[in-house]
């Protein structure tokens, strides 16, 4: 596809397609609804609920997208019909209307440009610039690839000198454009492959910036695609309805369980399509958290998109499925040293790769210069404050295992509440961190089960396990009772840990005798 069509051409094409759909009034009514709102800039009104109630006359009081799939079914039919239309009767139309997968927001694109100059001759010379990546940040609204094919046919004795010079100049210009796009693509790939070279996504001299009069209060937590009252997560933090966005469409996610999170409500909605956020912030460093989940069917071979902050690439060819290692698994990406741009706004852009972007939630925290905020987790259902005032969040990022029913009394620590609960069994944690850091990991243990009442006087050897981080062994033949006895705090500290390519510290607790256990986990950025 080519560039975005102008409004007049888009409306003209819409009329032609609606005429072709006259025999299918349901599809025509659906296309008219979503197209008119898209062309009027009212994309926030294009969602499953609005379509169901205004197009298909579903009850506003009782419609439930989890049990009534009419919108998804009819959108699938319309998407298929549009594809057929432009392969047959509409194949010569200058403008093409399409519905991206997982989106209700239509797109209006001009067909690709084909320039052909020819004179009768058996000899031809062709320059083909197909599949050249188009910089979507360089032209507002452009979303896909631009294909330009230049066919030059010439007779060696009959083409005049002026036409030949014009053709050579055009070919040289096309080559320069191709080279420029190639250099840009190479730079983007290098930034993606080496995130430690990523710029801080904004100017560093915050003294030259001013605070916008409407600066957001931080921490700022937004539920993408959600419109309603604030929600409270398991640690008592407030998450607000979606705001500061432009473009895209809101979707309600299918009611499927989400693993590796204690707050599945973060993933109840999506914002998808091409969209952006312009968030007013006071000068200073911030820490950005982006939350994603992939729902089946999700093809990890094709679902790729990009994310930038103030024009600097954060995620290139990002695939939620591959990053989270599956569908219905919570995925969180963290970026430190995020600053507002010169105008006082953080400009986040989510734009096409092979597919439309999607986002579930955004969190912006006060930042530490060049360092990520510590991650502190306790294996219990509510948050805990330690004697230094640090907040430890309730259990999160885990898979498998179970927690004890009642807290235990612990000695040997000024913070017994951190050790009063445990996660036990054969389980893992995937803790998100900024990929550019090196981290200290502190594991907090206590033997809560093997006591004199359960094991008599001998508890050594009753619980033995291993702990791995990103495949490397941290603890082997580890026996808490052997080291400190029962119901006594024990910590193990590990330095200079590197995150995985996906920005995770993947911890595996592997039983040898009976179950592995953990009471709290702390991750500290070592950067200066």
């Amino acid at each position: 596809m080519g560039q975005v069509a102008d409004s007049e051409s888009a409306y003209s094409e819409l009329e032609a397609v609606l005429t072709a759909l006259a025999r299918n009034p349901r599809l025509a009514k659906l296309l008219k609804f979503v197209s008119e709102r898209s062309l009027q800039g009212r994309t926030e009104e294009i969602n499953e609920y609005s379509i169901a109630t205004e197009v298909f006359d579903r009850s506003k009081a009782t419609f439930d997208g989890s049990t009534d799939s009419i919108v998804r079914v009819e959108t699938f039919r319309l998407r298929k019909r549009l594809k057929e239309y432009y392969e047959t009767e509409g194949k010569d139309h200058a403008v093409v209307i399409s519905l991206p997968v997982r989106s209700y927001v239509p797109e209006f694109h001009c067909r690709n440009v084909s320039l052909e100059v020819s004179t009768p001759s058996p000899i031809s010379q062709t320059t083909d610039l197909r599949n050249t990546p188009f910089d979507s940040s360089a032209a507002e609204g452009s979303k896909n690839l631009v294909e330009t094919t230049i066919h030059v046919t010439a007779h060696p004795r009959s083409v005049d000198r002026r036409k030949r010079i014009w053709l050579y100049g055009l070919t040289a210009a096309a080559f320069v454009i191709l080279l420029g796009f190639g250099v840009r693509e190479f730079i983007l790939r290098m930034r993606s492959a080496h995130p430690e070279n990523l710029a801080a996504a904004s100017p560093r001299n915050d003294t030259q910036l001013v605070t916008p009069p409407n600066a957001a209060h931080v921490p700022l937590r937004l539920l993408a695609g959600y419109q309603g009252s604030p929600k409270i997560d398991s640690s008592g933090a407030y998450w607000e309805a979606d705001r500061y966005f432009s473009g895209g469409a809101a979707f309600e996610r299918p009611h499927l369980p989400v693993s590796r999170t204690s707050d599945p409500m973060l993933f109840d909605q999506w914002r998808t399509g091409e969209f952006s956020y312009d968030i007013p912030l006071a000068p200073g460093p911030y820490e950005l958290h982006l939350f994603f989940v992939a729902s089946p069917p999700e093809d990890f071979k094709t679902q790729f998109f990009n994310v930038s902050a103030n024009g600097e690439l954060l995620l290139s060819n990002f695939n939620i499925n591959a990053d989270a290692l599956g569908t219905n698994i919570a995925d969180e990406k963290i970026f430190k040293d995020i600053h507002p741009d010169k105008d006082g706004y953080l400009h986040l852009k989510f734009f096409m790769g092979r597919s439309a972007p999607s986002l579930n939630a955004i969190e912006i925290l006060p930042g530490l210069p060049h360092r990520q905020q510590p991650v502190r987790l306790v294996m219990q259902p509510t948050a805990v404050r330690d004697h230094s005032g640090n907040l430890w969040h309730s259990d999160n990022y885990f898979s498998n295992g179970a927690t004890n029913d009642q807290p235990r009394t612990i000695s040997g620590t000024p913070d017994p509440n951190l050790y009063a609960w445990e996660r036990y069994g054969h389980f893992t944690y995937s803790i998100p961190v900024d990929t550019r850091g090196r981290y200290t990991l502190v594991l907090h243990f206590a033997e809560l089960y093997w006591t004199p009442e359960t094991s008599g006087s001998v508890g050594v050897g009753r619980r033995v396990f291993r702990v791995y981080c990103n495949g490397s062994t941290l603890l082997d033949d580890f026996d808490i009772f052997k080291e400190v006895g029962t119901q006594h705090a024990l910590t193990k500290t590990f330095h200079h840990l590197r995150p995985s390519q996906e920005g995770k510290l993947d911890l595996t607790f592997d039983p040898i005798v009976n179950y592995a256990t953990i009471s709290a986990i702390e991750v500290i950025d070592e950067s200066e």
Side-chain angles (χ1 to χ4, degrees):
M1 295 296 175
Q3 65 183 8
V4 175
D6 61 77
S7 179
E8 183 178 351
S9 300
Y11 273 111
S12 177
E13 180 63 18
L14 176 60
E15 281 189 30
V17 179
L18 291 176
T19 300
L21 293 177
R23 294 183 180 179
N24 195 325
R26 287 166 67 90
L27 295 187
K29 189 176 180 182
L30 172 58
L31 178 62
K32 187 173 187 293
F33 177 87
V34 298
S35 295
E36 288 182 346
R37 277 154 182 76
S38 177
L39 292 171
Q40 293 165 8
R42 297 156 57 191
T43 55
E44 70 278 0
E45 298 178 21
I46 306 176
N47 54 62
E48 187 171 6
Y49 177 81
S50 297
I51 295 172
T53 56
E54 298 189 38
V55 177
F56 300 117
D57 300 320
R58 291 303 198 256
S59 169
K60 292 185 178 181
T62 61
F63 174 72
D64 183 356
S66 64
T67 58
D68 189 341
S69 61
I70 185 171
V71 178
R72 296 187 292 276
V73 170
E74 294 301 325
T75 302
F76 174 80
R77 292 180 59 214
L78 177 58
R79 186 179 294 116
K80 182 179 179 182
R81 180 67 182 91
L82 288 172
K83 184 175 183 295
E84 293 171 351
Y85 177 78
Y86 287 109
E87 290 175 349
T88 54
E89 56 198 294
K91 64 181 180 180
D92 296 324
H93 287 204
V95 175
V96 174
I97 304 176
S98 62
L99 269 177
V101 177
R102 290 177 59 188
S103 175
Y104 298 142
V105 180
E107 296 179 350
F108 301 82
H109 288 285
C110 297
R111 285 193 184 273
N112 302 323
V113 178
S114 180
L115 304 177
E116 184 167 336
V117 180
S118 62
T119 56
S121 170
I123 302 175
S124 65
Q125 181 180 5
T126 300
T127 302
D128 193 346
L129 304 181
R130 294 183 179 176
N131 299 324
T132 303
F134 181 71
D135 186 354
S136 59
S137 66
E140 183 177 356
S142 299
K143 299 177 181 175
N144 295 303
L145 301 181
V146 172
E147 295 184 5
T148 303
T149 306
I150 304 173
H151 299 285
V152 181
T153 307
H155 192 284
R157 297 179 181 178
S158 62
V159 177
D160 60 57
R161 185 171 179 270
R162 180 180 301 175
K163 184 178 294 184
R164 188 162 56 247
I165 292 174
W166 181 85
L167 291 172
Y168 289 163
L170 184 60
T171 302
F175 176 77
V176 171
I177 293 172
L178 176 62
L179 180 62
F181 284 139
V183 171
R184 176 183 179 275
E185 181 69 13
F186 173 77
I187 293 172
L188 293 182
R189 290 182 180 274
M190 288 299 292
R191 285 177 174 168
S192 175
H194 301 282
E196 64 273 10
N197 296 329
L198 180 70
S202 63
R204 294 299 183 90
N205 188 358
D206 292 331
T207 60
Q208 298 178 357
L209 304 180
V210 296
T211 301
N214 59 338
H217 295 287
V218 176
L220 175 68
R221 300 179 176 93
L222 302 176
L223 297 172
Y226 171 71
Q227 295 299 322
S229 301
K231 296 184 179 182
I232 303 175
D233 66 20
S234 57
S235 294
Y238 279 81
W239 292 79
E240 303 177 44
D242 205 5
R243 56 187 176 129
Y244 302 123
F245 63 86
S246 60
F251 281 76
E252 183 175 349
R253 183 177 171 273
H255 292 281
L256 298 170
V258 182
S259 62
R260 289 207 186 279
T261 179
S262 56
D263 294 299
M265 62 89 176
L266 298 183
F267 305 92
D268 285 345
Q269 281 84 21
W270 275 310
R271 178 158 296 281
T272 188
E274 284 205 322
F275 54 93
S276 60
Y277 283 80
D278 299 294
I279 303 173
L281 295 171
Y286 293 90
E287 184 172 299
L288 173 67
H289 295 234
L290 301 177
F291 297 81
F292 307 93
V293 68
S295 290
E298 174 85 359
D299 185 357
F300 74 91
K301 295 180 181 179
T302 60
Q303 299 296 318
F304 296 90
F305 61 90
N306 309 294
V307 181
S308 67
N310 299 336
E312 295 288 341
L313 200 65
L314 295 181
L315 297 172
S316 175
N317 289 325
F318 178 61
N319 182 288
I320 303 172
N321 189 322
D323 201 75
L325 300 182
T327 58
N328 296 324
I329 301 173
D331 195 28
E332 182 178 347
K333 306 298 288 185
I334 298 178
F335 307 93
K336 59 187 178 182
D337 279 332
I338 296 293
H339 295 246
D341 208 349
K342 294 179 181 179
D343 60 359
Y345 286 78
L346 172 61
H347 302 286
L348 299 176
K349 185 175 181 181
F350 297 76
F351 56 101
M352 294 279 291
R354 297 185 194 173
S355 63
S358 65
L359 174 71
N360 294 94
I362 295 176
E363 183 178 35
I364 298 178
L365 303 176
L368 301 173
H370 316 308
R371 300 181 67 183
Q372 180 180 323
Q373 292 275 10
V375 178
R376 297 185 175 98
L377 304 172
V378 283
M379 281 69 258
Q380 45 188 286
T382 57
V384 172
R385 284 204 180 272
D386 62 23
H387 73 285
S388 299
N390 297 314
L391 180 67
W392 295 67
H393 288 267
S394 57
D395 203 8
N396 202 4
Y397 309 128
F398 61 84
S399 179
N400 298 322
T403 55
N404 51 314
D405 298 327
Q406 296 293 329
R408 304 294 202 279
T409 302
I410 304 299
S411 62
T413 173
D415 295 300
N417 288 339
L418 297 185
Y419 301 84
W421 301 73
E422 66 175 335
R423 177 163 295 278
Y424 63 90
H426 187 185
F427 54 91
T428 63
Y429 281 82
S430 187
I431 301 174
V433 292
D434 189 297
T435 56
R436 293 165 288 176
R438 298 294 178 267
Y439 298 90
T440 293
L441 172 69
V442 184
L443 302 178
H444 299 253
F445 302 98
E447 181 54 69
L448 303 183
Y449 182 78
W450 297 106
T451 66
E453 290 77 18
T454 58
S455 63
S457 59
V458 180
V460 175
R462 294 296 184 94
R463 184 199 304 274
V464 183
F465 59 97
R466 301 184 184 92
V467 180
Y468 303 95
C469 179
N470 294 346
S472 298
T473 303
L474 300 182
L475 295 170
D476 196 6
D477 291 325
F478 180 54
D479 186 333
I480 302 171
F481 196 104
K482 183 178 180 180
E483 294 202 23
V484 295
T486 185
Q487 294 181 252
H488 192 90
L490 173 65
T491 62
K492 293 290 183 178
T493 302
F494 309 90
H495 299 283
H496 314 311
L497 298 182
R498 293 173 176 265
S500 67
Q501 180 178 338
E502 294 74 26
K504 306 289 193 301
L505 294 181
D506 291 310
L507 305 177
T508 300
F509 293 78
D510 186 21
I512 298 174
V513 179
N514 287 308
Y515 291 134
T517 182
I518 186 70
S519 291
I521 298 174
E522 188 173 17
V523 177
I524 301 171
D525 193 336
E526 298 174 354
S527 304
E528 295 297 334

